[in-house]
Structure formats: structure tokens, C-alpha cells
Amino acid sequence: MIRVWKSELRKLIRPRFLLSTILVTAGLQAAITATLFLRAQGSTITDLGKASGLFYSTKMIAPFLGMISLCIFAANTAQEYIFGTLKNLLVRQPNRIKLMLGKVVALLTFITFLVLISTLVGVVLSYLFSSKHNIQTAAWNIFNIEFFLNPLLNVLLSIFAYGLLGVCLAVVLRSSIMAISAGLVWLLVIESLIGLFGKGIAKWMPGGNFASLGDGGSLELSFIHSALVAGIYSVGGLVLVLIIFIRRDVAN
């Protein structure tokens, strides 16, 4: 599986793809952080001066990073079907479980790198813009477990869940366009409609729980509930992916 991981990671860090994804995530982080600090008012200024203020902007863009993760995972997985390269991969690694798990781990490694880059951009810009409203930075600390490291872990787990959803859709639909479209329509449109007409059902939907997990919980969805639901969707989706990948005829 290590060889598969290295092979997939080599494909993901191609200069053009790597540079474009870094620019997108870092640019999004920069835009959100700048807007947050430059337009902060009232209680927001107070919140930014707390120990949790250093991670404030990254937590805000966590759902957007999740969407990016879904798109990357879905496109990378589905392109093996689109370009017909899956047969060649299975010649080199006939164990389908190792092949799929190696691909997933490589994608998780790549998206972790992107999140860390985005977080670093947010931290640097937070310090630069803190003087705009004389925001106190004495309480900020990137090694603070409660207000920085734990929230960062929650964001990573949330983004992993979005990515695994993308893999699941890609394996089922075998098309990057259909997988990405289905994922985004469900998360952005269908779940919003479900939330309007059935709040009891909405608390069990994937998108809301993924977002709540990255936010450390919310008034409607506790952290434990969101972590449990997101874990069930992620593990269940991965098992489904492996079952379909093992049993489906590649030539079809």
C-alpha cells in the first residue's frame, strides 16, 4: 500500500496541479481573513482578541475547504474510470483493497498539506491585520491545545469526511462531473431544503454534521453527535467503496 500511496502522491504534487490548489486555498483563506479583520465590529473585535481569535478565520472557511476536498477526492478517483487507467493500476497492484486504501490515504495526506498551508496563511494575516482595530494578540498561541490544535484537528476531520463522500460518489457514479455535481447539489441545495421542512431529519444529514464537526459543535448539533454521525457516514461510505470496488467488473 505504501507504493500506491507514493504513486498517488506523486500524481497529486505535479507542479501545475499543486500550485493551482495552493493558490485557490491560500487565496480563499486570505480573502476571508482580510474581510474578517478589516470589517470587524463590536463583539467580533472582542472575540478576535481572545485565545480562539487566531483560528477564527480558518474555522470560518472550513466548509469551503470541505467542498474543495470533495471536488479533489471525487475528480482524482473518477478520472481512473474516465481515462481507463484503472486497468493499468490493477496490473501493478492487483489487490484492490490496497489500491483503494493507498489512493485514499494519499488524498488525505494531500488535503492535510493544503489545510496546513491555508492555516498558516490565516495565522500570518491575522497577526498582520490585528493592528487595524488594535486587537490584542497576547492570548494567541499556535501551540494552544484547546483553542488552536484541537480546533485544527476538528477541521481536518471534517474535511476528511467531505473528501470520503467525494470518493464514494466517484466510485458509485464513475464520473467526476456527476460526482462533484451530485455532492455539491446535495450539500448546498437539498440539505437546505430538508432543513426548512424537516429539522428532525436534518440533524442526521451528512453536510450539516460535517460542518458542525469542523466548528466544534453548534447549538443545534452537539460535537459528540456530529462526530458520531460524520464517523458513521465516513466509515460506512468507505466500506461501500471497497465493496463496490472489489466486486465491480473493471472492464464494464
Side-chain angles (χ1 to χ4, degrees), residues 3-249:
R3 291 182 178 179
V4 177
W5 173 77
K6 289 182 178 179
S7 175
E8 289 297 323
L9 203 56
R10 186 178 297 113
K11 181 171 62 176
L12 289 167
I13 61 175
R14 290 173 298 179
R16 180 180 298 179
F17 180 75
L18 179 62
L19 181 60
S20 63
T21 50
I22 288 177
L23 288 176
V24 169
T25 53
L28 178 62
Q29 177 74 73
I32 294 295
T33 304
T35 302
L36 173 66
F37 277 83
L38 296 179
R39 299 180 65 86
Q41 296 179 356
S43 60
T44 302
I45 297 177
T46 303
D47 290 338
L48 290 174
K50 297 178 181 178
S52 58
L54 186 58
F55 197 74
Y56 203 108
S57 62
T58 302
K59 185 182 289 188
M60 285 182 62
I61 71 164
F64 299 102
L65 293 177
M67 303 294 178
I68 293 174
S69 176
L70 184 149
C71 295
I72 292 175
F73 278 55
N76 183 272
T77 304
Q79 72 179 7
E80 309 295 1
Y81 294 98
I82 297 172
F83 298 132
T85 53
L86 185 56
K87 297 179 183 178
N88 297 330
L89 292 175
L90 288 171
V91 170
R92 299 297 301 271
Q93 175 52 270
N95 189 318
R96 298 193 180 193
I97 293 180
K98 288 184 178 180
L99 178 61
M100 181 54 67
L101 289 180
K103 176 182 284 292
V104 170
V105 173
L107 287 165
L108 293 176
T109 304
F110 181 73
I111 203 65
T112 299
F113 169 74
L114 288 182
V115 172
L116 293 178
I117 291 293
S118 176
T119 303
L120 179 60
V121 171
V123 168
V124 172
L125 291 180
S126 294
Y127 276 103
L128 290 176
F129 290 128
S130 61
S131 60
K132 172 66 177 178
H133 298 288
N134 295 320
I135 296 172
Q136 299 298 317
T137 62
W140 291 0
N141 184 0
I142 62 172
F143 299 108
N144 188 307
I145 295 177
E146 181 180 1
F147 296 109
F148 194 90
L149 297 181
N150 276 349
L152 177 59
L153 178 60
N154 294 339
V155 168
L156 279 172
L157 292 175
S158 170
I159 291 170
F160 289 170
Y162 280 103
L164 291 175
L165 176 60
V167 171
C168 186
L169 291 171
V171 171
V172 172
L173 300 175
R174 290 183 288 185
S175 167
S176 56
I177 296 177
M178 291 183 63
I180 293 172
S181 300
L184 294 181
V185 168
W186 176 269
L187 294 173
L188 298 176
V189 179
I190 297 178
E191 282 204 22
S192 298
L193 295 176
I194 292 175
L196 291 175
F197 299 103
K199 293 186 177 180
I201 301 175
K203 70 178 183 179
W204 300 103
M205 294 294 99
N209 284 283
F210 294 170
S212 177
L213 176 61
D215 200 36
S218 63
L219 294 177
E220 295 80 14
L221 300 170
S222 69
F223 175 78
I224 295 177
H225 173 86
S226 297
L228 179 62
V229 174
I232 291 173
Y233 275 111
S234 298
V235 174
L238 185 58
V239 171
L240 177 63
V241 164
L242 293 176
I243 292 174
I244 295 175
F245 193 62
I246 291 171
R247 299 179 63 87
R248 178 184 281 166
D249 183 11

